[in-house]
Amino acid sequence: MTKPRHYLQFKDFTRDDYRHVFDRTRWIKDKFKRYEPYHPLFDRTLVMIFEKASTRTRLSFEAGMQQLGGSAIYLNTRDSQLGRGEPVEDAAQVISRMSDVVMIRTFEQDIIERFAAHSRVPVINGLTNEYHPCQILADIYTFIEHRGSIQGKTVAWVGDSNNMCNTWLQAAELLDFNVHVSTPPGYEVEPERAGLYGTGHFEQFADPMEACKGADLVTTDVWTSMGFEAENDERMKDFADWCVDAEMMAAARADAVFMHCLPAHRGEEVTADVIDGPQSVVWDEAENRLHVQKALMEYLVLGKVED
Ligand code: CP
Ligand code: NVA
């Protein structure tokens, strides 16, 4: 049996893979907008395993698989044997014998790596503590739709050096753009945890205003990610000056866009006038989860499909 291809972190794909997936995304999205059915995954099954909460990820994978002609099954820790200590390796053996592709949202990256090592079918990372590659896939596609190629552009990341930040940094290395990162002291990027080859594609700034200067895209995320709730009170104080506001947007390029993976907390990591303002593309960004993930599933299950 040939080993399946997985999507566990952004650098699992090459630049060529991304070119293909973005081309397919455009084609699949256009077709969907014309109400033309497209069922390349007829009779295929996606299993979605959630160990953390979700709105967008569940919705976009479930709707996406259905729109491609297949079906999706939702499992969570609470009402499956996963929450009762069944080894992840055993779960992978069983689940992958009954499905064609698996999406997992969990805690440590190690869990998804172990699952994938024992899976007969492709495994997709739907968010771990370390990475959120499907979201960055949607973010970059959204940038391309609004502004063209991201190569050589500058992304300002304001806030926590979390799973989103790490994935932006991997994407910058792969697709050749720059990230200006500003985190509060003590929350700086850890290149090894981010899975980076080097430090050539990002720069750290103590002052978030400095990070936003000249940026083509300004983005942020919650101060407290899922799994880190115990640190919430401390983080509220530490991140108080890392709120993306109109002044930061004004420091960016005049045509800069604002992104947030959502869910957002207005008045914490972003002001309402920015996220609800004219530079914000957050709703397109959320919608594009659907389209990019349909292209991703098509690619992982069927390989390079050309129209
Ligand atoms: N952005 C994102 O992954 O949203 P959910 O947590 O709602 O899936
Ligand atoms: N960094 C956030 C993203 C939520 C989609 C978290 O991990 O909770």
Side-chain angles (χ1 to χ4, degrees):
M1 205 179 65
T2 52
K3 275 197 176 298
R5 186 124 192 238
H6 304 298
Y7 191 58
L8 307 181
Q9 47 184 309
F10 202 86
K11 68 181 183 190
D12 284 350
F13 276 12
T14 63
R15 206 185 276 210
D16 227 49
D17 292 323
Y18 284 111
R19 197 170 302 128
H20 175 78
V21 169
F22 290 142
D23 280 354
R24 291 302 295 162
T25 300
R26 189 169 309 112
W27 189 87
I28 289 170
K29 181 173 177 176
D30 286 351
K31 213 168 164 58
F32 178 70
K33 295 285 179 184
R34 292 195 301 269
Y35 295 98
E36 290 171 14
Y38 178 57
H39 294 157
L41 299 185
F42 173 73
D43 213 21
R44 305 295 183 111
T45 305
L46 162 72
V47 171
M48 307 180 293
I49 303 170
F50 283 92
E51 299 210 81
K52 293 176 177 170
S54 168
T55 296
R56 279 144 287 268
T57 303
R58 177 176 179 183
L59 196 56
S60 52
F61 270 104
E62 191 162 340
M65 192 50 165
Q66 211 166 305
Q67 289 161 17
L68 292 175
S71 55
I73 296 173
Y74 171 80
L75 289 180
N76 67 33
T77 319
R78 277 186 312 283
D79 55 22
S80 68
Q81 299 290 4
L82 289 161
R84 299 183 61 251
E86 180 164 18
V88 69
E89 292 79 4
D90 294 2
Q93 292 277 5
V94 174
I95 292 168
S96 70
R97 281 173 185 239
M98 300 187 192
S99 59
D100 300 280
V101 54
V102 177
M103 185 245 84
I104 307 181
R105 167 167 287 195
T106 187
F107 293 89
E108 290 79 26
Q109 182 71 11
D110 177 60
I111 298 172
I112 200 170
E113 303 273 354
R114 282 164 48 212
F115 190 105
H118 292 83
S119 172
R120 290 183 163 202
V121 300
V123 177
I124 298 172
N125 182 345
L127 182 147
T128 55
N129 289 352
E130 288 84 355
Y131 307 118
H132 197 1
C134 293
Q135 183 67 55
I136 300 303
L137 198 58
D139 293 7
I140 293 175
Y141 185 77
T142 306
F143 185 85
I144 294 169
E145 272 190 333
H146 282 268
R147 295 286 180 267
S149 171
I150 197 161
Q151 192 176 0
K153 296 288 196 306
T154 298
V155 174
W157 175 270
V158 176
D160 192 16
S161 63
N162 61 12
N163 42 12
M164 283 291 298
C165 177
N166 288 343
T167 311
W168 268 117
L169 296 174
Q170 282 197 2
E173 281 190 338
L174 241 128
L175 302 179
D176 195 20
F177 59 90
N178 306 301
V179 187
H180 287 179
V181 182
S182 181
T183 67
Y187 296 91
E188 290 87 359
V189 171
E190 297 169 49
E192 206 175 312
R193 183 174 158 83
L196 303 182
Y197 297 113
T199 52
H201 287 83
F202 79 96
E203 215 178 316
Q204 306 218 54
F205 294 82
D207 181 352
M209 280 293 286
E210 288 298 315
C212 291
K213 265 191 194 156
D216 300 278
L217 192 175
V218 177
T219 185
T220 185
D221 187 11
V222 291
W223 291 340
T224 306
S225 286
M226 292 181 280
F228 297 83
E229 289 80 2
E231 300 172 13
N232 194 50
D233 291 350
E234 201 179 327
R235 284 171 171 266
M236 287 295 146
K237 287 183 229 133
D238 294 345
F239 283 81
D241 293 333
W242 275 262
C243 171
V244 176
D245 57 14
E247 217 185 320
M248 285 188 204
M249 289 308 294
R253 279 175 59 102
D255 65 350
V257 290
F258 172 79
M259 288 192 194
H260 189 309
C261 65
L262 307 174
H265 299 80
R266 288 169 177 76
E268 291 182 19
E269 74 273 8
V270 61
T271 57
D273 60 333
V274 169
I275 194 167
D276 300 320
Q279 284 166 284
S280 173
V281 294
V282 297
W283 311 126
D284 289 343
E285 183 188 358
E287 179 191 324
N288 279 332
R289 288 290 300 277
L290 174 71
H291 309 299
V292 295
Q293 289 163 194
K294 284 165 78 175
L296 175 66
M297 289 192 285
E298 180 195 64
Y299 187 42
L300 288 175
V301 177
L302 301 178
K304 257 189 183 166
V305 173
E306 315 281 352
D307 16 296

